[in-house]
């Protein structure tokens, strides 16, 4: 989970329906990255509604595949998939995660968040492969323009 909360993030996440909330890393400009074990169906929407801040969430399947969901307070959302080659081995239907709409959504999300994204780097994270999807997730945060992301 990555967002810029106006209050204590763990408390806000619990109220939004996240469980197993773990370490939080604070980036520049109060952006925060937090690990969690599980999220309810509306957890991301609940958190964005509470904080009135954009958020992006990556849920992992065995650290091999990452499912991206992002939302802004005005309701703009996008979805994506990390580690597409590995996703094939899980028989995840790649056609449910088209690349170009995800790139366009990521660019719009970044702009709404006041960030400066790197379109080519976003595309590379959405089409690239890595031993662990967490590597692509970190690269995505940098590509989205999150200040201080590495």
């Amino acid at each position: 989970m990555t967002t810029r909360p106006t209050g204590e993030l763990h408390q806000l996440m619990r109220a939004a329906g996240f469980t197993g909330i773990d370490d939080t890393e604070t980036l520049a400009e109060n952006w925060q990255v937090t690990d969690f074990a599980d999220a309810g169906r509306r957890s991301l929407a609940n958190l964005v509604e509470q904080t009135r801040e954009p958020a992006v969430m990556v849920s992992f399947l065995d650290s091999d595949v990452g499912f991206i969901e992002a939302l802004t307070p005005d309701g703009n959302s996008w979805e994506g998939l990390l580690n597409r080659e590995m996703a094939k081995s899980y028989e995840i239907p790649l056609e449910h995660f088209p690349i170009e709409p995800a790139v366009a959504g990521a660019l719009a999300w970044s702009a709404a968040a006041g960030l400066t994204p790197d379109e080519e780097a976003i595309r590379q994270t959405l089409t690239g492969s890595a031993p662990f999807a967490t590597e692509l997730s970190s690269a995505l945060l940098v590509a989205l323009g999150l200040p201080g992301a590495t």
Side-chain angles (χ1 to χ4, degrees), residues 89-146:
S89 69
Y90 283 94
E91 299 180 4
I92 295 169
L94 300 183
E95 64 274 8
H96 291 178
F97 301 94
I99 293 167
E100 291 310 313
V103 170
L107 292 171
W109 182 91
S110 289
L115 305 173
T116 304
D118 179 335
E119 181 175 351
E120 188 53 38
I122 290 170
R123 187 172 276 102
Q124 287 175 354
T125 62
L126 296 174
T127 59
S129 61
F132 300 102
T134 54
E135 295 171 38
L136 293 170
S137 177
S138 295
L140 177 65
L141 297 182
V142 172
L144 289 170
L146 280 140

Side-chain angles (χ1 to χ4, degrees), residues 11-132:
Q11 182 180 3
L12 293 167
M13 288 179 70
R14 279 190 292 279
F18 291 88
T19 60
I21 301 162
D22 203 0
D23 297 333
T24 295
E25 176 186 3
T26 300
L27 306 176
E29 299 177 25
N30 202 37
W31 283 95
Q32 295 183 36
V33 178
T34 300
D35 294 333
F36 62 93
D38 198 21
R41 199 176 118 212
R42 290 204 26 89
S43 294
L44 180 63
N46 291 341
L47 183 65
V48 170
E49 185 177 302
Q50 285 178 22
T51 64
R52 302 298 304 153
E53 293 288 343
V56 61
M57 176 176 76
V58 181
S59 302
F60 296 99
L61 175 61
D62 292 338
S63 76
D64 294 326
V65 178
F67 298 93
I68 308 161
E69 294 179 61
L71 184 63
T72 63
D74 62 4
N76 289 329
S77 65
W78 67 279
E79 295 179 338
L81 183 68
L82 297 173
N83 233 4
R84 296 175 79 81
E85 286 301 312
M86 187 61 79
K88 283 184 195 177
S89 69
Y90 283 94
E91 299 180 4
I92 295 169
L94 300 183
E95 64 274 8
H96 291 178
F97 301 94
I99 293 167
E100 291 310 313
V103 170
L107 292 171
W109 182 91
S110 289
L115 305 173
T116 304
D118 179 335
E119 181 175 351
E120 188 53 38
I122 290 170
R123 187 172 276 102
Q124 287 175 354
T125 62
L126 296 174
T127 59
S129 61
F132 300 102

